């Protein structure tokens, strides 16, 4: 497969016929309806069991968390908890839970519901891929209807930030038990500003306004109810079609701004583009480091050196992203600056030399071979824009003799496939605000096989991550996380692709708003979304 140059991408877009592209989106029936255009869907909408951005961006609107987070990604706001106290030793958090919150079905929410939801998150049977975010939990109890006590065995300096994430969404126990495995698939009952209406996988999620909602976080001028009566999250995989939908008013908002059409959108008189750099997002390709094709660090280093991220940033993403050579942005909290001059950047000649050193030599067909076996790692990827990225990587690797194989999957299937041991490489993107946020997600051995899809199994890493997460002194935390960053970069367990900002396109019929970066879910609670009077 070939990667497209900047000009050939433009020609392909013209052949598509942007102005005439058909789109199966309905115009809003009236100004109280709003369509949000997205590129991919989630595999389900059960809060603690999905790590997908597509899951979180919907769950933030369907449910609430103990605390909220302002757009500055620093200020913790009251939400279901009106206030809280932290013990001097940092082990006990006592939250005062509001007494005026109701679920979508009208039932009153109490501290017992909060305790149930958080305990479900940490329950091993839930198999949450983000259980580590809760810290080393001793107990979570509700001594009365308005008090939640969260006890830790060790301090967790990021606990409040983590409790603002969608994984800790408060849900109704009766609905969970009634639906069983279909919770978050056929129904949902939360306390958010919107309520579950229907979900057609790979097509659309429809939610309706929670009329009694009035407890939104203080970062919103409007605490509720929402300004629109219905929101439809419409899946539109094709970048050109998303562009047309926004320009023609068939959709009003999209956090999935297509790189190919961003300049058109910026120039369009009926579209605005808002950008936020308050947090970070990195796309990468990971290696399953115990698989024969990629278990040699020399091969993984060679793959890093053979790929031209700068060309991809320009050709595929029109200069809208930053080529990535590090696993997190150098601007993130606790980045190890000692790595700045040690990162693997484009050097195909050195890549070829490393492959020779590893015993993978070129055969008569120009392919790398060792002991009669071709170097043909298998990469699992999402369909859509990710597939284009992997095709570009495939083209670069072929130049040094590596015959990368690609297997794309729809997002509703990909997450399950990525939790298996069937592949050598995989694609992923993730939001974070700190080194600890990223490293604890991906490199704890307890998180194998997902989200630690690399099978990085290192006791020293586990200890450093635990010490960093429980450190009271920021310098100690930075040192611990810095050591982990050094270990994983030296082992070349990822191929970083790019760092990107948050950009949201929206119709000028919509009131201006500030983009939010919580877990990359730029619209957060959706309370700011409303039509211009």
């Amino acid at each position: 497969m070939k990667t497209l140059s900047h000009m050939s991408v433009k020609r392909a877009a013209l052949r598509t016929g942007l102005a005439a592209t058909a789109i199966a989106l309905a115009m809003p029936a009236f100004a109280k309806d709003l369509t949000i255009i997205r590129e991919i869907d989630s595999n389900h909408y059960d809060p603690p069991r999905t790590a997908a951005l597509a899951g979180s961006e919907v769950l933030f609107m369907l449910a609430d968390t103990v605390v909220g987070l302002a757009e500055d990604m620093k200020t913790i706001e009251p939400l279901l908890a009106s206030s809280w106290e932290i013990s001097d030793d940092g082990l006990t958090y006592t939250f005062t839970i509001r007494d005026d919150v109701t679920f979508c079905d009208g039932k009153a929410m109490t501290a017992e519901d909060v305790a149930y939801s958080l305990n479900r998150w940490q329950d091993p049977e839930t198999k949450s891929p983000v259980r580590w975010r809760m810290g080393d939990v001793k107990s979570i109890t509700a001594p009365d209807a308005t008090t939640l006590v969260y006890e830790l065995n060790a301090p967790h300096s990021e606990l409040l930030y983590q409790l603002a994430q969608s994984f800790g969404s408060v849900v109704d126990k009766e609905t969970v038990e009634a639906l069983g495995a279909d919770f978050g698939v056929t129904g949902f009952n939360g306390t958010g500003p919107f309520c579950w209406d229907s979900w057609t996988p790979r097509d659309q999620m429809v939610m309706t306004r929670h009329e009694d909602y009035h407890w939104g976080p203080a970062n919103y001028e409007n605490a509720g109810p929402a300004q629109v009566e219905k929101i439809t999250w419409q899946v539109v995989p094709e970048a050109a079609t998303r562009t047309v939908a926004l320009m023609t008013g068939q959709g009003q908002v999209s956090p999935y701004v297509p790189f190919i059409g961003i300049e058109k959108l910026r120039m369009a008189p009926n579209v605005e583009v808002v950008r936020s750099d308050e947090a970070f997002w990195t796309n990468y390709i990971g290696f399953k480091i115990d698989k024969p094709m990629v278990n040699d660090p020399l091969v993984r280093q060679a793959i890093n050196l053979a790929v031209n991220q700068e060309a991809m940033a320009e050709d595929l993403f029109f200069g809208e992203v930053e080529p990535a050579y590090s696993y997190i942005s150098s601007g993130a909290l606790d980045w190890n600056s000692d790595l700045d001059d040690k990162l693997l950047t484009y050097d195909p000649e050195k890549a070829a030399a490393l492959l020779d050193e590893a015993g993978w030599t070129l055969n008569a067909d120009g392919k790398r071979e060792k002991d009669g076996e071709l170097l043909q790692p298998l990469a699992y990827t999402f369909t859509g824009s990710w597939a284009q990225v992997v095709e570009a990587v495939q083209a670069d690797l072929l130049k040094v003799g590596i015959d990368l194989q690609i297997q794309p999957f729809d997002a509703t299937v990909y997450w399950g496939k990525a939790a298996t041991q069937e592949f050598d490489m995989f694609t992923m993107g993730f939001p974070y605000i700190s080194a600890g946020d990223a490293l604890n997600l991906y490199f704890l051995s307890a998180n194998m096989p997902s989200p630690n899809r690399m099978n990085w199994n290192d006791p020293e890493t586990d200890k450093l991550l635990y010490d960093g997460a429980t450190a009271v002194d920021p310098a100690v935390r930075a040192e611990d996380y810095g050591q982990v960053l050094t270990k994983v970069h030296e082992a070349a367990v990822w191929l970083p692709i790019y760092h990107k900002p948050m950009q949201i396109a929206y119709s000028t019929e919509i009131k201006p708003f500030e983009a939010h970066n919580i877990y990359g879910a730029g619209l957060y609670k959706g309370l700011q979304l409303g039509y211009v009077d």
Side-chain angles (χ1 to χ4, degrees):
M1 297 182 184
K2 296 181 180 179
T3 184
L4 297 175
S5 69
H6 192 160
M7 289 305 297
S8 61
V9 169
K10 286 185 175 180
R11 286 193 293 270
L14 290 173
R15 287 195 299 270
T16 303
L18 288 180
T21 301
I23 181 169
L25 288 176
M27 294 289 285
F30 50 97
K32 294 296 184 180
D33 292 2
L34 184 142
T35 296
I36 301 173
I37 301 168
R38 64 201 313 205
E39 181 179 2
I40 58 176
D41 206 343
S42 182
N43 50 340
H44 58 74
Y45 293 94
D46 187 349
R49 296 196 305 113
T50 179
L53 163 61
S56 288
E57 61 190 5
V58 163
L59 287 167
F60 279 124
M61 295 188 184
L62 291 176
D64 290 314
T65 49
V66 177
V67 293
L69 187 67
E71 285 82 357
D72 63 5
M73 295 297 290
K74 298 174 184 176
T75 305
I76 298 294
E77 302 280 8
L79 191 45
L80 293 180
S82 58
S83 62
W84 53 91
E85 294 180 357
I86 306 172
S87 62
D88 291 340
D89 60 9
L91 298 178
T92 303
Y93 290 65
T94 303
F95 297 92
T96 299
I97 303 300
R98 295 180 65 129
D99 62 2
D100 59 347
V101 175
T102 59
F103 287 102
C104 277
D105 67 356
K107 181 169 45 184
M109 186 219 71
T110 69
E112 185 177 347
D113 296 301
V114 181
Y116 164 76
S117 300
L118 295 178
N119 280 315
R120 180 171 178 264
W121 181 7
Q122 70 156 340
D123 186 344
E125 291 189 7
T126 303
K127 297 180 180 178
S128 174
V130 288
R131 162 65 184 79
W132 65 269
R133 292 178 180 272
M134 302 186 73
D136 187 359
V137 177
K138 180 179 180 181
S139 67
I140 303 172
T141 58
D144 59 56
T146 59
T147 305
L148 180 82
V149 180
Y150 194 118
E151 291 188 88
L152 296 162
N153 291 312
H156 184 27
S157 60
E158 294 186 4
L159 179 62
L160 291 176
Y161 172 78
Q162 300 300 347
L163 289 180
Q165 303 291 335
S166 64
F167 320 111
S169 295
V170 173
V171 296
D172 171 44
K173 179 180 180 180
E174 291 182 6
T175 304
V176 173
E177 293 180 344
L179 294 178
D182 285 333
F183 178 73
V185 177
T186 61
F188 189 95
N189 190 21
T191 69
F194 293 92
C195 301
W196 180 290
D197 182 275
S198 63
W199 178 39
T200 307
R202 297 178 295 280
D203 182 15
Q204 61 179 221
M205 158 68 72
V206 180
M207 53 180 66
T208 56
R209 182 165 64 191
H210 187 173
E211 297 295 346
D212 294 331
Y213 192 90
H214 60 272
W215 47 85
N219 55 296
Y220 289 116
E221 182 178 342
N222 172 41
Q227 300 177 66
V228 293
E229 292 184 358
K230 183 173 79 171
I231 288 181
T232 299
W233 290 82
Q234 180 68 53
V235 177
V236 181
E238 303 82 9
T241 311
R242 293 199 301 277
T243 303
V244 172
L246 288 164
M247 294 179 68
T248 59
Q250 297 172 83
Q252 289 71 53
V253 183
S254 181
Y256 295 83
V257 177
F259 295 104
I260 190 173
I262 194 165
E263 276 305 313
K264 275 185 180 296
L265 292 171
R266 287 193 182 112
M267 293 186 293
N270 61 332
V271 177
E272 296 284 349
V273 178
V274 61
R275 172 175 171 142
S276 172
D277 294 294
E278 290 296 333
F280 309 98
W281 183 286
T282 297
N283 275 20
Y284 70 91
I285 299 176
F287 301 99
K288 194 167 283 294
I289 63 173
D290 54 359
K291 294 296 285 285
M293 284 287 161
V294 292
N295 65 359
D296 188 338
L298 292 179
V299 171
R300 300 195 299 267
Q301 290 167 15
I303 289 174
N304 272 262
L305 293 165
V307 174
N308 191 342
Q309 290 98 323
E310 186 174 353
M312 273 196 284
E314 181 60 31
D315 291 347
L316 294 181
F317 305 110
F318 306 92
E320 296 289 340
V321 302
E322 176 189 347
Y325 308 101
S326 59
Y327 297 178
I328 62 173
S329 170
S330 59
L333 180 67
D334 295 333
W335 165 250
N336 183 358
S337 59
D338 290 343
L339 290 169
D340 287 348
D341 59 356
K342 300 175 183 177
L343 301 175
L344 298 172
T345 57
Y346 184 54
D347 190 339
E349 291 185 4
K350 186 175 180 180
L354 287 178
L355 292 169
D356 289 337
E357 182 182 344
W360 292 95
T361 56
L362 289 173
N363 63 17
D365 296 324
K367 304 288 182 64
R368 294 283 169 175
E369 187 176 303
K370 184 178 184 180
D371 299 328
E373 183 177 23
L374 291 174
L375 185 52
Q376 293 181 315
L378 171 64
Y380 279 5
T381 185
F382 296 94
T383 53
S385 59
W386 253 121
Q388 277 191 311
V389 170
V390 183
E391 288 165 12
V393 170
Q394 181 186 54
D396 280 345
L397 294 184
L398 196 56
K399 294 174 185 176
V400 297
I402 299 174
D403 188 16
L404 180 66
Q405 306 297 299
I406 303 173
Q407 178 63 66
F409 297 98
D410 179 84
T412 56
V413 176
Y414 180 83
W415 292 98
K417 299 295 291 185
T420 69
Q421 301 290 347
E422 301 167 356
F423 53 90
D424 304 296
M425 299 165 65
F426 65 95
T427 61
M428 193 60 58
F430 72 107
Y432 55 93
I433 60 167
S434 66
D437 200 18
L439 296 173
N440 282 290
L441 174 62
Y442 286 117
F443 293 99
L444 285 169
S445 62
N447 286 352
M448 296 185 296
S450 179
N452 181 350
R453 302 170 185 88
M454 302 81 61
N455 291 340
W456 179 261
N457 190 1
D458 178 51
E460 184 182 5
T461 294
D462 288 342
K463 183 179 186 306
L464 287 167
L465 291 177
Y466 182 84
D467 291 346
T470 59
V472 177
D473 185 345
V476 172
R477 182 193 65 225
E479 173 65 23
D480 291 334
Y481 289 154
Q483 288 186 53
V484 177
L485 284 166
T486 297
K487 287 172 70 74
V488 296
H489 277 79
E490 289 180 348
V493 295
W494 288 358
L495 165 63
I497 302 296
Y498 63 82
H499 305 304
K500 71 172 183 177
M502 165 65 67
Q503 297 190 100
I504 303 175
Y506 65 97
S507 166
T508 53
E509 295 180 343
I510 302 298
K511 298 175 184 176
F513 60 88
E514 190 174 350
H516 205 300
N517 251 311
I518 186 167
Y519 206 71
L523 302 174
Y524 193 29
K525 309 302 293 181
L527 291 168
Q528 78 282 36
L529 298 175
Y531 285 87
V532 176
D533 295 332

